[in-house]
Amino acid sequence: MAITTDAAAAIGAALSTPARRLPEPCAMVIFGASGDLTERKLIPALYYLYRHELLPQGFSVVGYARSSFSDDQFRARQFEAVKEYLKIPAEDESYLTEFLKGVFYSSGDYTAPDGYDRLAKALDDLDEQRGTGGNRLFYMATPPSFFGDIVRNLGARGLARPKHEGRNWTRVVIEKPFGHDLESARELNRLVTSVFREEQIYRIDHYLGKETVQNLLVFRFANGIFEPVWNRRYIDHVQIAVAEDLGLEGRGGYYEEAGLVRDMIQNHVLSLLSLIAMEPPSQFEAKSVRDEKSKVMRAIRPLPLDALNEAAVRGQYVEGWKGDQRLPAYRAEPKVSPQSVTETFAALKLYIDNWRWADVPFYIRSGKRLPKRISEITIEFRRAPHLLFRGTITEDMVPNLLRVRIQPDEGISLRFNAKIPDTMMQIRPVEMDFRYNEVFEASPPTAYETLLLDCMLGDPMLFTRDEFVDLAWELITPLLRRWRDDGRKGLYFYEAGTWGPPEADSLMEHDGRHWRHL
Ligand code: BG6
């Protein structure tokens, strides 16, 4: 699109930058500190915040896990991991070393109380020695089976309440999956809310921290021209695709239990859907935004269990190829049963039964081992009501299309029809394209940086509220139950490195539509 760098600079200057808020001094405890998430996402994100001077004075981390490490051994592991994931140049390594001086390790069991005694002591010491001020952020980065034990023990040791009521804060971040189905999610919620108050609980869905996902709200509500056409009168259907080329990355044990729908749709994809479909909130603040998201969830029509094939397709990858690299079948992955019926691909058709969206299908697809990593939302508009140019060489006039690319190559493009310069009336589609990296020079923070900072600042807007989790499970649980009962029946296979089973195409073709080419 013709947004020049000058125009971008002018827009930047016109929108005066609000002053950044720094969080109050605090300490963060990471449960599951010896795991993958800590090394790949959490510590790199905290280092990024440190480098951009967004962390408070004295900020400290206590890693907690069962393995035994000294502080220095733990720091050395994190040093190597951050260096690798963030590709830190040699001249910046001293910053990383400095940051890691505020990182400590406490080893302990998740179930037994004595580890929490040591943790409490370590936190008090940090308050004294590094000035962390009694504010605490507990981050659950363990497998979900430990969430309950950790919460119970924090409660029993008195760590769930602020150190000095009224003066300090204590918050807890809970990773997904929040529960395994509706009942277990409710049970976990009951337990967590018996120890923490709802305003202390931050259920994280890292998709909501992605810059492009937040921009969806800006796109819809900071521009006057889209909202009037953002409804059933003008929109034919919506597609949401969240595709990954990766396989299990060593997470076979977890994935066998979870499957694609629990791993991606119950949280990330439904969050995206709610942002596209929600009504304008009256204010840009947590309660209003989360209220509107929940209303969307409440309006989604239950999946038709008596005609499930018309609304849901599941698939699993078999052996395939990526270039000349052979990709193993899902059933041949480590820690996966050779008879597994876990889905690695799903396509769904959902309807939102309200005035804005009645009869507009939302088609969703997501999968592992697809040809590439791409997340994209497509809004397909209805065709022009009167085909004025019929009879010319314009029979193929395509509908307008708005594509929001969440990742990679973040941007937004609009397709419309244009006349080909010639004496004849010939029409073809063209694109107006906005690309983040061309317009804004600085690379955006990753999701975890945004979300960790929000959490320290006490802003829960981008976190998931209990009722959203509940409504999402209410929608998904009957489907998962049916698939479990059906076993192998209705599970379709696709070659790794392809776009899923052909049955997913039929889901669209049945409605006279097709998936967008990604
Ligand atoms: C996680 C899932 O929540 O999201 C993973 O558990 C998935 O299976 C990941 O790979 C995708 O995240 P992103 O940010 O790479 O799109």
Side-chain angles (χ1 to χ4, degrees), residues 176 206-207 210 244 251 254 263-264 268 368 373 407:
K176 60 159 266 274
H206 80 277
Y207 265 59
K210 289 182 191 276
E244 292 187 274
R251 296 160 77 220
Y254 154 76
D263 189 46
M264 297 297 286
H268 306 324
K368 294 260 183 220
R373 175 175 184 254
Q407 62 187 21

Side-chain angles (χ1 to χ4, degrees), residues 472-493:
W473 279 122
E474 226 172 80
L475 175 72
I476 290 303
T477 302
L479 172 75
L480 294 174
R481 256 193 216 130
R482 165 61 78 80
W483 281 351
R484 186 199 56 202
D485 296 346
D486 283 355
R488 162 74 182 78
K489 194 177 101 202
L491 173 69
Y492 301 108
F493 294 93

Side-chain angles (χ1 to χ4, degrees), residues 23 45 101 141 178 188 208 254 304 332 338 374 378 418 434 489 494 510:
K101 285 186 185 158
F178 195 91
L188 177 60
L208 290 175
Y254 154 76
I374 181 165
T378 314
F434 151 66
K489 194 177 101 202
Y494 61 101
H510 184 260

Side-chain angles (χ1 to χ4, degrees), residues 198 202 248 251 269 468:
E198 178 62 27
Y202 287 66
L248 299 190
R251 296 160 77 220
V269 179
F468 188 96

